[in-house]
Amino acid sequence: MSARARVDRKQQILEVLARELETHPGSRITTAGLAQAVGVSEAALYRHFASKARMFEALIDFAEDSVFSLVNRILEQDQDAVTRCERITRVLLGFSDRNPGITRILLGDALVGENERLRARVGRFFERVETQLKQVLREANLVDGLRAAASIDASANQIMALIEGRICQYVRSDFRRRPTEFLDEQWVMLRAGLFH
């Protein structure tokens, strides 16, 4: 098999895994079921990925690369802390909306019974987002004169509660209740309570 065909097959496996996670919420995905959905043998799956955990890791890599490249762009383009916080929130909720299967992984829903290392890794994903929000708020206190109404930690955590809560509702509704639903109204309320 050529290198290009191997990359294409790996990509196909990941796309089918994400689709299976989306179309079978609450179900555990087996390698046998995944191989059948891809149209290959289980042995073929293992030629591309050493384990199912490696497949999940590849999807987490995709989420990290996608989200944090956009967050970095926001930090380069926008100087206003409120705008930065809002756009970071929209990036996460928009990613979730476009990638429901991967969202199940990020919430740990698809990782029940899987390697604990994966759960720790997705925990670090959200910690990294919260750390970035704290940094935005710290910089605002130093530069903008804009102040968080509560402590920086509490304010960043409140934004994360909105993000994670909306994503949880999305998964719990079997992807019918979009994570961006009511976001415009909710951000106005959140902004009024968080900043002065």
Side-chain angles (χ1 to χ4, degrees), residues 45-61:
L45 288 181
Y46 290 118
R47 277 194 294 274
H48 296 283
F49 294 96
S51 65
K52 189 167 58 164
R54 294 287 184 213
M55 293 176 214
F56 284 134
E57 281 184 312
L59 291 176
I60 295 167
D61 287 341

Side-chain angles (χ1 to χ4, degrees), residues 151-174:
S151 71
I152 288 171
D153 289 348
S155 299
N157 186 260
Q158 182 63 44
I159 296 169
M160 289 305 298
L162 170 70
I163 292 168
E164 292 185 61
R166 295 300 309 168
I167 292 172
C168 283
Q169 288 176 346
Y170 184 48
V171 171
R172 202 173 47 246
S173 72
D174 291 335

Side-chain angles (χ1 to χ4, degrees), residues 18-32:
R19 187 175 62 241
E20 290 292 300
L21 288 166
E22 176 183 352
T23 58
H24 299 95
S27 298
R28 186 176 165 136
I29 306 298
T30 64
T31 53

Side-chain angles (χ1 to χ4, degrees), residues 13 16-17 20 29-40 45 55:
I13 291 167
V16 170
L17 175 57
E20 290 292 300
I29 306 298
T30 64
T31 53
L34 179 60
Q36 183 178 10
V38 174
V40 298
L45 288 181
M55 293 176 214

Side-chain angles (χ1 to χ4, degrees), residues 90-181:
R90 289 183 184 281
V91 161
L92 278 137
L93 296 180
F95 179 85
S96 177
D97 195 20
R98 288 184 305 280
N99 299 282
I102 296 173
T103 298
R104 284 191 59 209
I105 295 171
L106 293 177
L107 286 183
D109 174 61
L111 299 178
V112 173
E114 299 296 337
N115 190 311
E116 185 58 35
R117 174 177 45 86
L118 295 170
R119 295 177 67 77
R121 184 161 175 205
V122 296
R124 287 191 303 272
F125 172 86
F126 286 105
E127 289 168 8
R128 186 174 167 193
V129 173
E130 189 166 353
T131 297
Q132 190 61 68
L133 290 168
K134 288 176 186 177
Q135 184 60 36
V136 167
L137 294 169
R138 264 189 217 97
E139 288 174 14
N141 280 353
L142 295 173
V143 177
D144 294 344
L146 177 73
R147 297 276 187 255
S151 71
I152 288 171
D153 289 348
S155 299
N157 186 260
Q158 182 63 44
I159 296 169
M160 289 305 298
L162 170 70
I163 292 168
E164 292 185 61
R166 295 300 309 168
I167 292 172
C168 283
Q169 288 176 346
Y170 184 48
V171 171
R172 202 173 47 246
S173 72
D174 291 335
F175 311 117
R176 288 187 300 274
R177 192 165 187 188
R178 298 183 65 198
T180 54
E181 180 183 32

